[in-house]
Amino acid sequence: MSQRQVLQVFEQYQKARTQFVQMVAELATRPQNIETLQNAGVMSLLRPLLLDVVPTIQQTAALALGRLANYNDDLAEAVVKGDILPQLVYSLAEQNRFYKKAAAFVLRAVGKHSPQLAQAIVDCGALDTLVICLEDFDPGVKEAAAWALGYIARHNAELSQAVVDAGAVPLLVLCIQEPEIALKRIAASALSDIAKHSPELAQTVVDAGAVAHLAQMILNPDAKLKHQVLSALSQVAKHSVDLAEMVVEAEIFPVVLTCLKDKDEYVKKNACTLIREIAKHTPELSQLVVNAGGAAAVIDCIGSCKGNTRLPGIMMLGYVAAHSENLAMAVIISKGVPQLSVCLSEEPEDHIKAAAAWALGQIGRHTPEHARAVAVTNTLPVLLSLYMSTESSEDLQVKSKKAIKNILQKCTYLPALEPFLYDAPPNILKHVVGQFSKVLPHDSKARRLFVTSGGLKKVQEIKAEPGSLLQDYINSINNCYPEEIVRYYSPGYSDTLLQRVDSYQPLIN
Amino acid sequence: MATLARLQARSLTVGNEYYFRNSVVDPFRNKENDAAVKIQSWFRGCQVRAYIRHLHRIVTIIQKWWRGFLGRKQYQLTVQVAYYTMMMNLYNAMAVRIQRRWRGYRVRKYLFNYYYLKEYLRVVSETNDAIRKALEEFAEMKEREEKKANLEREEKKRDYQARKMHYLLSTKQIPGIYNSPFRKEPDPWELQLQKAKPLTHQRPKVKQKYSTSLTDWLACTSARSFPRSEILPPINRKKCQGPFRDITEVLEQRYKPLEPTLRVAEPIDELKLAREDLRRKEWLRNVNDNMFLPFSSYHKNEKYIPSMHLSSKYSPISHKEQFRSEDPKKWICDKDFQTVLPSFELFSKYGKLYSKAGQIV
């Protein structure tokens, strides 16, 4: 009799504990409850439950802790300060897969907030156990462990190095080959976070043979997976020429171009980023991209996107055009310039406009042919207005000024230069007048056009200090025309004529 | 004495006469003097003029000769200068011709092949068009697939609905709601209901978060010594009758872990899976999927199709700048040319392609 009563007490207590921990876990899913839970001191209550005899209670307590730590970094810090981590790490090695998943969730939730918390996780030796979890049979455990490692490695290079030193990279590469899509996604994201910090880390990822597998997964129809895979490849390729070459050798072209037509915005953005990181290193790589038809695909992609997704594509065109004039000509014949000028005028954000202005400057700066191709699309007035407007940011002003200067120094297409005579500031006016002074002496039709369109009149009205470069240019322009015409158009000519009328003595016969 | 008297008598008049003669003759004398002076001066003037004229003529001749001499000297110099200028102009013009030809040749041969560039740009634009078309087709295909998937999903939903509403079908006695007698023909739902198979009772779905395969069950039974119900069964149940076995023995027997035979422990198609696995590994590892075949017979049928860039008749610049012929017997002197000009940057890239795979010495 008494034995049963004694047992009943224990069973009631177990029932109470189970109920408590399940309710807390459920309440922790809603953000509005978490404040109240925190004030009620839930951390100190959950901590002993982690050591409970019943496995279900342990798992649910770990789950509740993870959800709480996920919410904000104060709670995560409380988890760290409460010395819960060593216990978690210890039982991570021993318990069953549900507990492992829950514990890995807690580690991930703590590690994602800041580098200090992630460092705390590393300091209590969690990395080795997480790496052991990566070898587990259950894909859910692997996913949770890979996610935790990814979040830790995300913050800075030292943490990434710690993750790599724990031997995570080969196991992550194995995870990528697993059939479960969620696991592939997380593993690709973890590799991307590891590789992004420095060339050595990227080299480690490449040495583990990740690039070939990542390149195959580009063909996978799942959009989120493609997004992570492309991000991983671009983080690898961005550091150096050798790494970019290795990515290219995995035969991503022309498959990557199909990703540019995907419905998902992030896939398009990451594909453009990858192509940009490859094309920016050397002219040979840019030429490879252009030969594979990458320029046309990126230009179409820019046309179909809006906002920040366009930015990597615009920068890619700028990098390609910057390398050599042949590549810039290739960008021009792929109909890049109209698209870029549309971006320049349409986009509301300053940094995208700045990128478009820079790209146009790179295209137009090589030879008069290139400058003509840019000037014909009427982008120069837009660039000028961006430079002059007070609302543009510093960066935008500087970039549009450089672009205008670069293009003007090679531009011989006079109809595009004429509007500049009217509303350009003095430092740009100098270049414009200089260009006129170079072209007019040799072209009679241009001279005629210059006079009839009122350009000569405007040039006479420009005030310049004698001896300055501007005055030299104005003189050389004036020398192209006969004396009378120059005098006719000089300001105040009507006044001088009237003065002559006043002072004239009529001949009296 | 007579003369003296005569003279004395005359002396009175002599004075007068003398005065008279002098004064009367004075103007004549002046006149005659003037006339004589005039004549003399005129004559002297003529003399002098003749002399001066003579001198002028002589001087003119001297000056003429002297100026001729100077002029001829000057002319020599002018002619020399003009000749020199003309020859220099000629040399300049010829040098310009040579330089023009040479520069054109050099640029066309070594620096910039205009036709190759044109060809290259044409090929690039063609590739672009092809890629654009291919991508359009790809996008269209994706759209079609998505539409098809949507349609199928719709179909399935409607089918499921029909199966759920199967009881609304019309019977012989009672027309169903979709088969009203006042309609000309039954509603399409009626036909759908006729086609649908009725749903069976829903089996209570065990909510499993994780896939249950044999291995999982094995792995987790060790931890599940207790049943997974949230609430323990109530203790105050009606006492069952009879002698009972020990509760621990009973539980042990009830929750004994599965000890499968060897045949059951492994999945049936394990061999096939293992083969698939091996094939997959091989596919991942191998660079080229084709089997290695003996060289002699296999590649005879394959025609090499050069890429668009190589099949144009304009080639990129060959990177060997040869100003000299290769046959040493044709060289005029034995020494090699001095490099006065800096070498072209293009040639430092010779042999270094973008990839390290092709190391050409």
Side-chain angles (χ1 to χ4, degrees):
Chain A
M1 210 56 173
S2 65
Q3 194 188 28
R4 190 165 295 151
Q5 278 178 341
V6 168
L7 283 177
Q8 197 180 3
V9 169
F10 278 98
E11 275 156 13
Q12 272 179 347
Y13 180 48
Q14 180 179 336
K15 200 170 21 161
R17 287 199 318 266
T18 332
Q19 208 176 16
F20 169 70
V21 96
Q22 277 170 356
M23 289 310 294
V24 166
E26 206 165 318
L27 286 173
T29 51
R30 287 191 202 84
Q32 56 264 33
N33 300 333
I34 293 191
E35 296 284 337
T36 344
L37 285 171
Q38 189 181 6
N39 293 339
V42 70
M43 283 293 173
S44 41
L45 286 172
L46 280 177
R47 190 176 144 207
L49 287 174
L50 275 178
L51 309 168
D52 201 275
V53 184
V54 181
T56 334
I57 298 181
Q58 281 178 4
Q59 288 150 22
T60 329
L63 190 63
L65 261 179
R67 285 187 185 149
L68 285 170
N70 204 7
Y71 177 67
N72 71 2
D73 47 351
D74 288 330
L75 285 165
E77 274 218 48
V79 169
V80 172
K81 282 211 195 97
D83 267 342
I84 299 178
L85 289 177
Q87 176 56 38
L88 272 176
V89 169
Y90 175 66
S91 21
L92 199 61
E94 303 190 337
Q95 296 282 356
N96 67 358
R97 61 194 166 109
F98 304 107
Y99 188 79
K100 282 189 189 169
K101 266 194 260 192
F105 174 48
V106 175
L107 289 173
R108 163 180 123 218
V110 169
K112 82 174 189 189
H113 293 286
S114 80
Q116 290 81 19
L117 290 167
Q119 187 64 44
I121 293 185
V122 173
D123 288 337
C124 62
L127 286 179
D128 294 320
T129 20
L130 281 172
V131 166
I132 293 174
C133 284
L134 272 181
E135 290 174 325
D136 201 275
F137 291 115
D138 182 48
V141 173
K142 282 196 258 210
E143 188 184 322
W147 211 336
L149 287 168
Y151 273 22
I152 292 174
R154 188 176 283 194
H155 295 287
N156 59 28
E158 287 87 33
L159 289 163
S160 289
Q161 189 61 48
V163 169
V164 168
D165 289 337
V169 176
L171 291 167
L172 283 171
V173 172
L174 278 175
C175 284
I176 281 191
Q177 302 167 36
E178 296 280 330
E180 288 83 16
I181 296 268
L183 181 56
K184 283 201 228 246
R185 267 189 228 148
I186 304 293
S189 151
L191 283 172
S192 157
D193 286 331
I194 290 176
K196 75 181 180 190
H197 297 285
S198 83
E200 292 81 27
L201 289 164
Q203 188 64 46
T204 327
V205 169
V206 169
D207 287 339
V211 174
H213 298 125
L214 288 171
Q216 277 161 7
M217 291 203 287
I218 295 182
L219 291 166
N220 198 298
D222 186 50
K224 291 208 183 102
L225 176 62
K226 269 198 274 215
H227 166 221
Q228 297 293 352
V229 162
L230 289 168
S231 150
L233 285 172
S234 60
Q235 302 290 4
V236 165
K238 78 178 183 189
H239 293 289
S240 80
V241 186
D242 294 322
L243 289 166
E245 282 175 9
M246 249 177 262
V247 172
V248 167
E249 274 167 25
E251 289 179 26
I252 50 172
F253 286 104
V255 178
V256 141
L257 302 178
T258 56
C259 295
L260 288 170
K261 277 282 182 186
D262 203 277
K263 290 225 170 29
D264 192 60
E265 292 289 319
Y266 286 109
V267 172
K268 281 197 255 198
K269 183 173 176 195
N270 281 5
C272 284
T273 315
L274 173 61
I275 301 181
R276 174 190 90 196
E277 301 298 351
I278 289 177
K280 80 177 184 193
H281 292 287
T282 69
E284 285 83 17
L285 281 169
S286 298
Q287 183 145 24
L288 179 80
V289 171
V290 167
N291 285 356
V298 167
I299 290 169
D300 285 346
C301 179
I302 291 179
S304 65
C305 301
K306 294 255 172 266
N308 255 323
T309 18
R310 273 175 163 169
L311 187 60
I314 297 176
M315 290 180 69
M316 177 254 175
L317 290 175
Y319 279 125
V320 166
H323 284 297
S324 88
E325 50 181 71
N326 296 345
L327 288 168
M329 190 48 100
V331 170
I332 291 174
I333 61 165
S334 314
K335 307 186 186 78
V337 181
Q339 193 59 258
L340 282 175
S341 51
V342 159
C343 285
L344 189 65
S345 24
E346 261 188 10
E347 286 291 332
E349 304 236 337
D350 272 355
H351 60 273
I352 305 180
K353 283 204 225 230
W358 170 76
L360 282 167
Q362 294 301 324
I363 293 177
R365 72 176 167 95
H366 297 280
T367 71
E369 283 294 321
H370 296 81
R372 189 206 167 94
V374 175
V376 156
T377 56
N378 276 333
T379 34
L380 291 176
V382 180
L383 281 171
L384 184 66
S385 65
L386 284 173
Y387 172 55
M388 306 282 285
S389 124
T390 43
E391 292 172 350
S392 332
S393 62
E394 276 286 324
D395 186 44
L396 177 56
Q397 279 182 346
V398 163
K399 288 212 164 84
S400 37
K401 174 171 172 216
K402 279 188 98 167
I404 294 177
K405 263 183 83 166
N406 284 337
I407 296 175
L408 279 182
Q409 276 168 352
K410 295 279 174 180
C411 185
T412 54
Y413 183 62
L414 296 180
L417 287 183
E418 289 215 20
F420 272 74
L421 282 176
Y422 293 94
D423 42 5
N427 49 353
I428 292 186
L429 195 59
K430 187 168 62 172
H431 293 289
V432 177
V433 177
Q435 284 300 109
F436 274 112
S437 70
K438 279 186 215 156
V439 176
L440 285 177
H442 305 287
D443 191 353
S444 60
K445 280 211 200 76
R447 285 201 282 274
R448 191 194 162 91
L449 207 60
F450 190 56
V451 171
T452 51
S453 63
L456 188 59
K457 186 170 161 67
K458 186 69 183 60
V459 167
Q460 303 306 320
E461 285 167 16
I462 297 174
K463 291 188 194 33
E465 293 96 45
S468 73
L469 214 54
L470 190 53
Q471 189 62 36
D472 289 337
Y473 292 145
I474 295 180
N475 288 345
S476 48
I477 293 180
N478 288 345
N479 290 343
C480 302
Y481 292 97
E483 182 75 38
E484 308 90 61
I485 299 196
V486 176
R487 242 184 293 135
Y488 176 73
Y489 280 112
S490 49
Y493 184 63
S494 47
D495 297 326
T496 48
L497 276 182
L498 286 174
Q499 264 186 353
R500 277 188 69 187
V501 168
D502 288 333
S503 56
Y504 187 66
Q505 297 285 0
L507 298 163
I508 308 172
N509 290 3
Chain B
M1 281 312 253
T3 33
L4 191 63
R6 206 184 332 125
L7 277 171
Q8 272 180 346
R10 250 172 114 203
S11 69
L12 288 162
T13 56
V14 165
N16 286 348
E17 227 181 281
Y18 181 73
Y19 176 72
F20 180 68
R21 276 193 187 175
N22 279 342
S23 67
V24 164
V25 181
D26 237 1
F28 293 116
R29 191 183 293 138
N30 281 340
K31 222 170 140 182
E32 282 172 12
N33 205 10
D34 289 336
V37 163
K38 207 171 207 171
I39 291 171
Q40 282 174 7
S41 70
W42 193 284
F43 181 72
R44 286 199 178 122
C46 286
Q47 253 189 338
V48 166
R49 271 192 290 277
Y51 180 61
I52 288 179
R53 209 168 21 244
H54 172 70
L55 282 180
H56 276 312
R57 273 194 216 120
I58 295 175
V59 164
T60 307
I61 292 174
I62 293 176
Q63 283 179 349
K64 180 175 78 181
W65 276 91
W66 176 246
R67 282 180 186 157
F69 171 71
L70 281 182
R72 270 185 293 279
K73 216 163 67 159
Q74 188 61 33
Y75 166 73
Q76 294 269 355
L77 285 176
T78 315
V79 161
Q80 267 179 4
V81 165
Y83 177 71
Y84 178 75
T85 325
M86 188 188 79
M87 290 314 281
M88 287 311 284
N89 283 345
L90 179 71
Y91 296 148
N92 281 344
M94 293 303 117
V96 163
R97 272 191 210 176
I98 295 173
Q99 284 174 3
R100 182 166 63 208
R101 283 298 188 114
W102 162 248
R103 281 178 185 164
Y105 167 75
R106 169 176 167 255
V107 163
R108 273 189 290 275
K109 182 154 184 205
Y110 295 115
L111 292 184
F112 172 66
N113 190 344
Y114 170 71
Y115 292 104
Y116 179 69
L117 178 71
K118 223 165 111 161
E119 195 60 29
Y120 172 73
L121 288 174
R122 187 187 70 84
V123 166
V124 164
S125 66
E126 267 178 32
T127 317
N128 285 345
D129 290 332
I131 289 270
R132 279 186 167 131
K133 215 165 65 164
L135 286 178
E136 286 260 348
E137 277 172 21
F138 177 75
E140 257 174 60
M141 188 188 75
K142 276 281 173 97
E143 282 250 5
R144 258 181 283 137
E145 272 179 21
E146 218 186 275
K147 265 195 215 142
K148 216 166 67 169
N150 279 346
L151 280 174
E152 265 175 32
R153 236 177 295 143
E154 287 281 306
E155 251 323 298
K156 271 182 85 172
K157 230 172 73 166
R158 293 184 72 211
D159 196 40
Y160 182 63
Q161 287 274 42
R163 287 182 75 185
K164 269 174 45 168
M165 298 197 302
H166 182 262
Y167 53 88
L168 294 173
L169 189 61
S170 56
T171 55
K172 211 162 161 188
Q173 278 285 47
I174 310 173
I177 56 172
Y178 291 119
N179 196 5
S180 159
F182 302 112
R183 287 171 69 100
K184 255 196 286 196
E185 42 182 52
D187 195 271
W189 266 112
E190 178 70 24
L191 301 165
Q192 190 104 17
L193 288 173
Q194 277 174 8
K195 271 189 268 174
K197 201 173 80 155
L199 278 178
T200 49
H201 280 297
Q202 234 188 15
R203 256 162 296 179
K205 265 209 205 142
V206 178
K207 196 124 189 246
Q208 303 223 2
K209 275 198 280 186
Y210 317 111
S211 57
T212 48
S213 71
L214 215 54
T215 47
D216 288 344
W217 202 80
L218 274 175
C220 64
T221 42
S222 57
R224 295 205 211 250
S225 37
F226 283 91
R228 276 189 82 206
S229 55
E230 279 138 18
I231 306 171
L232 291 173
I235 305 293
N236 305 347
R237 255 193 302 182
K238 211 170 61 166
K239 243 169 62 172
C240 309
Q241 209 185 16
F244 295 118
R245 286 172 64 191
D246 189 14
I247 182 74
T248 48
E249 269 180 34
V250 168
L251 285 174
E252 210 180 69
Q253 195 168 43
R254 191 187 294 180
Y255 296 112
K256 197 160 77 169
L258 178 71
E259 286 159 21
T261 59
L262 202 64
R263 183 174 167 278
V264 177
E266 305 288 328
I268 279 180
D269 50 356
E270 203 243 330
L271 191 61
K272 199 164 83 164
L273 285 178
R275 281 203 193 111
E276 282 288 307
D277 204 26
L278 183 65
R279 211 173 293 146
R280 214 184 314 139
K281 281 207 180 63
E282 300 250 289
W283 180 72
L284 276 178
R285 186 195 64 196
N286 295 338
V287 170
N288 186 2
D289 274 334
N290 302 331
M291 292 262 293
F292 281 130
L293 291 162
F295 297 111
S296 56
S297 49
Y298 209 70
H299 299 290
K300 273 187 194 156
N301 307 340
E302 282 195 9
K303 212 171 145 250
Y304 173 65
I305 304 169
S307 69
M308 269 167 111
H309 289 274
L310 289 177
S311 56
S312 74
K313 66 178 177 182
Y314 302 111
S315 65
I317 299 145
S318 60
H319 296 246
K320 286 180 80 172
E321 180 155 345
Q322 300 255 319
F323 293 111
R324 260 189 156 177
S325 69
E326 288 179 319
D327 181 10
K329 290 204 189 85
K330 286 193 181 167
W331 293 349
I332 296 178
C333 76
D334 292 331
K335 289 193 287 203
D336 202 355
F337 285 165
Q338 265 180 337
T339 47
V340 179
L341 299 167
S343 58
F344 302 127
E345 177 201 293
L346 189 62
F347 305 135
S348 59
K349 294 199 189 135
Y350 175 57
K352 300 195 187 99
L353 304 176
Y354 75 91
S355 133
K356 282 201 185 131
Q359 289 277 5
I360 302 174
V361 172

